[in-house]
Amino acid sequence: MRILVVGSGGVGDAVARIAGRRDFFERMVVADHDTARAERTVAAVQAHPATRHPERFVAAHVDASDEEGIAALAREHGVTHVLNAVDPRFVMPVFRAALAAGADYLDMAMSLSRPHPEEPYARTGVRLGDEQFAEEDRWRAAGRLALVGMGVEPGLSDVLARYASDHLFSHITELGTRDGSNLVVLGDDGEPVFAPSFSIWTTIEECLNPPVVWERSRAEAGGSTEAGWYTVPPFHEPEVFDFPGGIGPVECVHVEHEEVLLMPRFLQADKVTFKYGLGEEFIGVLRTLHTLGLDRTDPVRVRGSDGAPVAVSPRDVVAACLPDPAGLGDRMQGATCAGVLVTGTGKDGAPRAAYLHHVVDNAWSMSEYGAQCVVWQTAVNPVVALELLAGGAWAGAGVLGPEAFDAVPFLELLAAPEPAGYGSPWAVQER
Amino acid sequence: MRILVVGSGGVGDAVARIAGRRDFFERMVVADHDTARAERTVAAVQAHPATRHPERFVAAHVDASDEEGIAALAREHGVTHVLNAVDPRFVMPVFRAALAAGADYLDMAMSLSRPHPEEPYARTGVRLGDEQFAEEDRWRAAGRLALVGMGVEPGLSDVLARYASDHLFSHITELGTRDGSNLVVLGDDGEPVFAPSFSIWTTIEECLNPPVVWERSRAEAGGSTEAGWYTVPPFHEPEVFDFPGGIGPVECVHVEHEEVLLMPRFLQADKVTFKYGLGEEFIGVLRTLHTLGLDRTDPVRVRGSDGAPVAVSPRDVVAACLPDPAGLGDRMQGATCAGVLVTGTGKDGAPRAAYLHHVVDNAWSMSEYGAQCVVWQTAVNPVVALELLAGGAWAGAGVLGPEAFDAVPFLELLAAPEPAGYGSPWAVQER
């Protein structure tokens, strides 16, 4: 297996650090538009005492918007698998470049949505992943695999839903992904400061786009899986969810997320939801950004610092004002939890509610990998998936979500202690 | 009198509309970096039936950062008075250009402050207007007048303070400028939307810079007027002030404002303060902008919409995302009030508290002048001052605030019905 990682921001960097300890591939090309950043990642991995075969890692330059350039880079290195680790604006060029280069493809976020033009908070417009699924025939015809949404959420959450579906439940009323943390970032004075622990660009996209929900009854009434999706207003149906792992209660609201688009395609459930534990302060910040139009991605014209007029996306400027979340690990405290709350009927016929989840403590991921916990938790899952694909435990063609594959080998490999596995356990909490 | 107005944004445009009805000058050059905008102002004034001698108005191009270019434009038109109506970043080049061209100068905001590097919320650093007062000798030597802070606040508030000092009080314990409104901007659906009624750039500067206060006891202890100034944290000492004119109670907090720097130089008082009626929602927005670093003026680097890296000021991007407040007049409802709460001992020796104030209703300013009320209230005062200077009722040399001049002719001219005056009454409310 020869892997091209497109993007060496927080997640791409952690992918390389995690993969450094594994033997299943013969080359990893770490590429970024900022070549020096890719080179820093490769140098760090090569210098780490736990890294095996450091010569497997090479840095390269790439422009994630340039489909032909990505394909050329993949061919140059004989790449068999392209892992997309840039922000979701660039999903389609990277996705198409992989197929053009004859490689399989993985990502951690799917192609972007566009709201319904007339009823944005009631009906879906273009949905997350629609552009990718529209090209599924080409992938299937080529016998190539696009494994989409293979981070932690989407990703591990989908794997956990598949596990619950296969092994814990006979009927599922709701697959409810729930994500929360008690992370705080400390300032120079030791007091907590405002600093999102994940890409603000993606967080705004997730939280201010119309949240999406799927219901089987609507799908059946409409005669198609597609008919089951609908939207609700931002920050809809707040609920306090009590997270395990010492995190405790966090206010969660509906947001737009890939799980809701993936699970109904591959699993049986009456309802599929995603709620994100944003907390009150963060919800307030997002509301204000939206009120002021600073969440917008269409450019506004301003004078640049040299006096000449320039056009910039307000959301890019917001992101540029905040610290890079990947660099906050050593000022961060707490843990993050991803998981899916499954409700329905157990295998024994009795009502059951179980929260299948995975907790990562920041102090652990920093000391073990030098990666902050949200970034590490996102990055470990595509590496596990690549290892399963390399060994043949997972195989397929077309555009598939993580829940299309057997969950057991994935969860075993993730949880098994090193060196056999990745040493990161998951758990089931009965509710 | 031949006037150059630098800047034809909201206030510059309203200056021309107001001046169009007066006879005291023979030329008004309306100049902007966006020449088309200046031309629109001149065309609107010339087309208005109430405008006298429309041929007095001409449009021109100007770069407010280019001292020599401004001076050349002033000389070209034989300008006797330069009125600065651009944002306060450009005070110094316009101020210097006026002197270089042998003209008198007026502005509505003074040169910018810089916080104290070690104790920003306790001590002043560079104060508002410091750069201008540092050049006072040159103005006095040339026999030229720089009348600074001659809008509504600073401006009319200072005139009202002078009036109270001369005619209502024998001893003043506090000159407390208080500004508030009940303005709302209605969206397309008729519901109120978030839209500041004055330049967001200036509002951020006023509200997030360390607020300044002056106390005579500190000045006396330190042996100089300068020793009397100190700073407090943003949003300090919130109080609910009950505004007249149907506005009612509004939450007010200390902000940095020119009155606090001007009044102690020319008037006798124990304490000088400025509190701005921001309201809770707006305070929340400003806090969030500050938390995210979006109030910053130093540039951040982002990719421009053409893919090339550019450097922009986050605050400029915030301003570009919001509607131009000058264009909101026909979607605005309510009134704005400027004034000074004077407390102390009356001329009769009894304790007295009086709020000297001026209310402008938006419906009135829109129907009479096509200018929204906050902009109109700012713009009328420098026009009144220019008329007094043209007639000789006001005269002086050096860098002087509005309170350096007799308040009576100003307040009479402002309040007298048209055509003798400007038809905009002020009032004293005993408290």
Side-chain angles (χ1 to χ4, degrees), chain A residues 33 63 194 285 288-289 291-294 296 299-305 310-312 314 316-318 320-322, chain B residues 33 63 194 285 288-289 291-294 296 299-305 310-312 314 316-318 320-322:
Chain A
H33 74 96
D63 174 350
F194 182 84
V285 166
T288 298
L289 290 175
T291 297
L292 272 57
L294 288 163
R296 286 161 44 189
V300 296
R301 292 186 73 79
V302 294
R303 271 195 192 207
S305 60
V310 297
V312 295
D316 287 345
V317 175
V318 173
C321 284
L322 290 167
Chain B
H33 73 98
D63 174 350
F194 182 84
V285 165
T288 298
L289 290 174
T291 297
L292 272 58
L294 288 163
R296 286 161 42 189
V300 296
R301 293 186 73 80
V302 294
R303 271 196 193 208
S305 59
V310 296
V312 295
D316 287 345
V317 175
V318 172
C321 285
L322 290 168

Side-chain angles (χ1 to χ4, degrees), chain A residues 306-343:
Chain A
D306 61 356
V310 297
V312 295
S313 145
R315 194 190 293 182
D316 287 345
V317 175
V318 173
C321 284
L322 290 167
D324 179 357
L328 294 175
D330 51 9
R331 293 163 53 193
M332 205 178 267
Q333 280 183 358
T336 187
C337 178
V340 59
L341 176 65
V342 188
T343 52

Side-chain angles (χ1 to χ4, degrees), chain A residues 140-158:
Chain A
R140 210 177 278 148
R144 295 255 68 89
L145 172 65
L147 172 48
V148 296
M150 191 60 253
V152 57
E153 281 176 343
L156 179 55
S157 48
D158 301 78

Side-chain angles (χ1 to χ4, degrees), chain A residues 23-380:
Chain A
D23 283 329
F24 67 87
F25 62 95
E26 58 204 73
R27 167 142 302 202
M28 179 169 279
V29 182
V30 178
D32 202 279
H33 74 96
D34 176 355
T35 315
R37 186 160 77 164
E39 286 166 351
R40 280 197 299 275
T41 289
V42 167
V45 173
Q46 289 178 331
H48 198 286
T51 296
R52 303 166 65 88
H53 315 298
E55 72 286 356
R56 296 180 297 172
F57 290 85
V58 295
H61 176 265
V62 75
D63 174 350
S65 67
D66 174 13
E67 182 182 327
E68 289 183 22
I70 303 164
L73 179 64
R75 286 193 199 97
E76 176 191 337
H77 290 276
V79 161
T80 60
H81 292 75
V82 174
L83 173 56
N84 178 1
V86 290
D87 84 50
R89 277 176 288 187
F90 304 106
V91 160
M92 291 313 293
V94 182
F95 177 76
R96 289 178 177 141
L99 188 61
D104 287 354
Y105 167 88
L106 296 86
D107 63 31
M108 291 162 274
M110 288 154 58
S111 60
L112 292 173
S113 65
R114 288 194 296 279
H116 191 280
E118 281 95 42
E119 298 178 77
Y121 303 122
R123 300 167 64 185
T124 58
V126 176
R127 290 175 298 257
L128 288 173
D130 272 3
E131 287 186 81
Q132 291 176 284
F133 282 109
E135 298 187 9
E136 186 174 14
D137 287 350
R138 296 177 57 206
W139 288 79
R140 210 177 278 148
R144 295 255 68 89
L145 172 65
L147 172 48
V148 296
M150 191 60 253
V152 57
E153 281 176 343
L156 179 55
S157 48
D158 301 78
V159 171
L160 293 168
R162 168 70 183 262
Y163 182 85
S165 183
D166 284 355
H167 302 287
L168 305 184
F169 285 81
S170 59
H171 177 86
I172 292 174
T173 52
E174 181 170 343
L175 291 168
T177 309
R178 297 290 183 271
D179 174 293
S181 81
N182 63 349
L183 293 169
V184 292
V185 175
L186 304 181
D188 295 335
D189 57 359
E191 292 295 308
V193 297
F194 182 84
S197 56
F198 202 69
S199 157
I200 188 75
W201 200 100
T202 306
T203 306
I204 290 173
E205 183 77 9
E206 287 176 354
C207 299
L208 292 177
N209 276 355
V212 60
V213 176
W214 185 87
E215 286 189 38
R216 188 211 299 263
S217 60
R218 295 190 184 216
E220 288 175 353
S224 71
T225 302
E226 282 69 24
W229 283 299
Y230 63 97
T231 56
V232 294
F235 313 120
H236 193 58
E237 291 184 332
E239 69 172 60
V240 174
F241 190 83
D242 194 6
F243 287 92
I247 294 171
V250 181
E251 181 158 314
C252 295
V253 292
H254 281 288
V255 308
E256 178 188 60
H257 228 259
E258 285 87 344
E259 287 90 332
V260 180
L261 289 310
L262 286 172
M263 293 178 187
R265 297 177 195 266
F266 303 100
L267 304 176
Q268 296 294 318
D270 297 342
K271 187 174 184 179
V272 182
T273 61
F274 185 100
K275 284 187 169 179
Y276 195 7
L278 289 170
E280 271 183 75
E281 183 193 18
F282 203 79
I283 290 175
V285 166
L286 291 170
R287 281 189 196 275
T288 298
L289 290 175
H290 184 59
T291 297
L292 272 57
L294 288 163
D295 58 320
R296 286 161 44 189
T297 56
D298 54 306
V300 296
R301 292 186 73 79
V302 294
R303 271 195 192 207
S305 60
D306 61 356
V310 297
V312 295
S313 145
R315 194 190 293 182
D316 287 345
V317 175
V318 173
C321 284
L322 290 167
D324 179 357
L328 294 175
D330 51 9
R331 293 163 53 193
M332 205 178 267
Q333 280 183 358
T336 187
C337 178
V340 59
L341 176 65
V342 188
T343 52
T345 310
K347 290 288 185 194
D348 60 358
R352 187 173 188 182
Y355 183 55
L356 290 76
H357 64 273
H358 182 252
V359 174
V360 180
D361 185 89
N362 189 67
W364 177 85
S365 67
M366 283 302 296
S367 72
E368 280 289 314
Y369 288 90
Q372 62 102 314
C373 60
V374 180
V375 161
W376 187 89
Q377 195 185 34
T378 305
V380 68

